Amino acid sequence: MLGIAGHNGAGKSTLLSLINGENPQAYANDIKLFDRKRGSGETIWDIKRPIGFVSPELVRYFPKNQNCLQVVLSGLFDSIGLYKKTSPDQEQLALDWLKLFRIEQVAKLRLNQVSLENQRFCLLARAMIKSPALLILDEAAQGMDDEQRVLFRQTIDHIGRHPDVSLIYVSHYEADIPQVVDRELVLEEGKVVKRFRNLGGFKS
């Protein structure tokens, strides 16, 4: 499991955009993901299908009239908002994820009506509903209080122990990084520093 750290402007967001297909430079460089070279004929949907993504900025892009259950369901289609008819089985799956995170009570509320903590768990449920091979969390605990950050980190630790899930966790704060993260890339101007985690924390 990989952590990524670095100051603002160090290139963390650029690196993530190269991975998730949102940066056209991915096609001009020798980049492989899931053993497939980028630019070999895949669509943006092929790229996004095995990737779950959580970021605080996502909240602002969802339609204001859609509820949290619809937000979670949109993860099945990799869309920001739900624009397709869903089946009862799909709706039950989304509700099951909300129940797993103990926030089923927000299902019918709009995303902007619920607490910041519950917004993040909704986005996490949206990412996990399609059983992604890679889960990317970009400053996902940003804005939470200490108790919320601990709960969120423990949840990610539980997910990260699943053998079929790989994890990339981006954060300015080492305290937010889950214990399952055992390697870290520190982006600095002009170089990348690799660090490995042991009982004493990250060591170069």
Side-chain angles (χ1 to χ4, degrees):
M1 304 299 175
L2 179 67
I4 299 177
H7 59 75
N8 290 336
K12 301 187 300 297
S13 295
T14 299
L15 178 59
L16 293 185
S17 69
L18 289 169
I19 294 171
N20 63 25
E22 296 177 353
N23 190 323
Q25 286 298 314
Y27 302 97
N29 292 277
D30 186 16
I31 296 177
K32 289 185 178 181
L33 192 64
F34 305 111
D35 295 323
R36 185 172 183 177
K37 180 174 170 47
R38 191 59 53 82
S40 58
E42 77 279 16
T43 68
I44 187 66
W45 307 112
D46 293 328
I47 295 168
K48 289 181 176 295
R49 190 171 297 117
I51 300 175
F53 182 72
V54 179
S55 171
E57 286 74 25
L58 282 179
V59 171
R60 71 182 69 170
Y61 300 120
F62 283 91
K64 303 301 183 186
N65 64 336
Q66 293 195 0
N67 61 39
C68 290
L69 187 66
Q70 291 170 309
V71 168
V72 178
L73 284 163
S74 71
L76 293 169
F77 310 102
D78 294 306
S79 57
I80 304 298
L82 184 65
Y83 305 102
K84 295 185 178 182
K85 184 175 177 58
T86 52
S87 69
D89 286 345
Q90 289 172 324
E91 292 169 9
Q92 184 59 54
L93 178 61
L95 187 58
D96 287 344
W97 274 105
L98 291 175
K99 287 181 178 178
L100 182 64
F101 295 144
R102 299 179 180 178
I103 57 168
E104 65 270 22
Q105 72 278 5
V106 308
K108 297 302 182 182
L109 298 176
R110 296 192 303 274
L111 193 61
N112 61 5
Q113 290 180 309
V114 304
S115 67
L116 184 148
E117 176 188 14
N118 286 343
Q119 287 178 0
R120 299 294 162 76
F121 276 107
C122 281
L123 293 178
L124 184 59
R126 174 183 178 271
M128 293 303 301
I129 193 172
K130 59 179 180 174
S131 299
L134 174 63
L135 177 62
I136 300 175
L137 299 113
D138 185 10
E139 302 287 358
Q142 186 181 78
M144 292 183 179
D145 64 30
D146 290 343
E147 184 177 347
Q148 293 167 346
R149 295 171 101 97
V150 169
L151 177 60
F152 192 80
R153 187 179 66 239
Q154 291 173 340
T155 303
I156 300 304
D157 264 324
H158 183 75
I159 291 172
R161 293 189 184 98
H162 194 286
D164 295 330
V165 178
S166 293
L167 179 70
I168 295 177
Y169 198 100
V170 179
S171 179
H172 283 97
Y173 306 104
E174 189 167 318
D176 286 341
I177 299 176
Q179 287 297 315
V180 291
V181 172
D182 55 4
R183 292 168 294 164
E184 185 180 48
L185 294 181
V186 182
L187 304 183
E188 299 177 355
E189 292 183 6
K191 64 178 181 179
V192 176
V193 179
K194 294 181 181 180
R195 303 201 299 172
F196 299 88
R197 196 176 208 160
N198 58 26
L199 293 178
F202 286 104
K203 303 293 184 182
S204 297

